[in-house]
Amino acid sequence: MADLSRVTGVSVPMIKFYLREGLLPSGERTSPNQARYGQEHVRRIMLVRAMADYAGLSIADIRELLGHLDDPGHSLHDRLGYAQKTVTPKREPGEGEEWAEALRRADELIARHGWLHDPEGPAMRTVAGVLLTLEGLGYDAVLSRLDEYAEAAARIADADVAAMAEESNLERMVEVVVVGTSLGDALVAALRRIAQANASARLLGEGWEKADRKNVEWRRESREGGPEGAEGRTEGC
């Protein structure tokens, strides 16, 4: 166990805790007080750490998720889908006609794009809740562009799944779902804000033409290897 601790960076007491809680399978017993641990134990410990540290899952949630992952009766798609659902924020369903209408609009949006989905899942309730709020605030310009948001989400999802499919084992795939979703959401949100600033400067800013020229010159410098060559070419324009 000391070697397992050294390789993973997790203390021996914490490894024993994982064993007691059923988060880590027992090692191969070599003597009454000794056990051999392999690479599968290293991967499982790293997965547990990722779920706790990055996704903020409780021990109970991690135990339930691992039990689902270890069940051979579930397909790989079902196991990864369960992992995604575990890290998706929960939202209680609403009530009344307005909530029912928001759910209908959410279903229509997903149906237009032909996506396979869980109509009772937490993500669908979140979509319905957002649509209901947008409707109440009168953000018709946003509501009229829902398909554009869905198309952008589809491109991001394709990249997510392609990255996950390159992993060689289930633990790494689940780690990409758990950690990648949390970090990916942060990355997409940050890139969106940068892109919003750029779009605003182009469409609304007084000096957008100057800013656009500066961006073009910067891209030219990047391609041509430095400001000297780019500067010389700019003067000749």
Side-chain angles (χ1 to χ4, degrees):
M1 190 174 291
D3 289 339
L4 186 61
S5 174
R6 177 180 52 79
V7 171
T8 61
V10 176
S11 67
V12 170
M14 183 60 70
I15 292 174
K16 291 181 177 179
F17 173 74
Y18 289 166
L19 287 166
R20 287 197 305 271
E21 292 295 324
L23 307 181
L24 182 68
S26 300
E28 179 185 353
R29 185 65 60 185
T30 58
S31 71
N33 297 319
Q34 296 289 330
R36 180 182 295 113
Y37 298 93
Q39 197 60 33
E40 68 275 13
H41 294 91
V42 173
R43 290 197 298 266
R44 180 53 59 93
I45 288 175
M46 301 310 292
L47 175 59
V48 170
R49 287 290 300 272
M51 290 192 289
D53 294 347
Y54 288 100
L57 298 183
S58 67
I59 294 299
D61 287 337
I62 294 173
R63 186 190 302 110
E64 184 175 354
L65 175 54
L66 292 177
H68 196 89
L69 296 179
D70 291 335
D71 187 345
H74 296 289
S75 68
L76 177 60
H77 170 72
D78 289 338
R79 295 185 219 184
L80 296 175
Y82 192 89
Q84 186 206 53
K85 188 178 294 186
T86 301
V87 298
T88 300
K90 307 299 187 293
R91 178 190 172 93
E92 294 300 320
E95 298 178 348
E97 294 182 2
E98 290 184 345
W99 175 256
E101 175 63 17
L103 276 177
R104 185 188 64 78
R105 292 189 65 173
D107 284 333
E108 288 180 349
L109 172 64
I110 302 305
R112 283 199 300 272
H113 294 269
W115 294 352
L116 300 174
H117 71 291
D118 177 7
E120 303 297 329
M124 281 298 293
R125 290 199 292 268
T126 297
V127 172
V130 170
L131 295 183
L132 184 61
T133 301
L134 290 171
E135 182 72 30
L137 294 172
Y139 287 168
D140 295 336
V142 176
L143 290 169
S144 67
R145 291 171 171 81
L146 291 178
D147 288 299
E148 296 177 46
Y149 287 107
E151 289 164 4
R155 289 194 293 273
I156 293 171
D158 286 343
D160 289 340
V161 175
M164 179 189 63
E166 292 182 5
E167 298 299 337
S168 59
N169 58 72
L170 177 62
E171 279 82 3
R172 283 288 294 176
M173 286 184 175
V174 174
E175 188 175 330
V176 170
V177 172
V178 173
V179 179
T181 297
S182 301
L183 296 183
D185 286 349
L187 175 62
V188 170
L191 290 174
R192 181 188 185 190
R193 282 155 179 75
I194 295 171
Q196 285 173 337
N198 177 66
S200 177
R202 289 175 176 273
L203 295 176
L204 307 175
E206 294 180 0
W208 72 268
E209 290 183 352
K210 182 177 179 181
D212 185 66
R213 179 176 175 80
K214 183 177 181 181
N215 284 335
V216 169
E217 292 174 353
W218 180 86
R219 288 195 295 271
R220 185 180 299 150
E221 287 182 20
S222 298
R223 289 197 303 269
E224 298 177 357
E228 294 80 14
E231 186 174 352
R233 289 174 175 78
T234 301
E235 289 175 355
C237 293

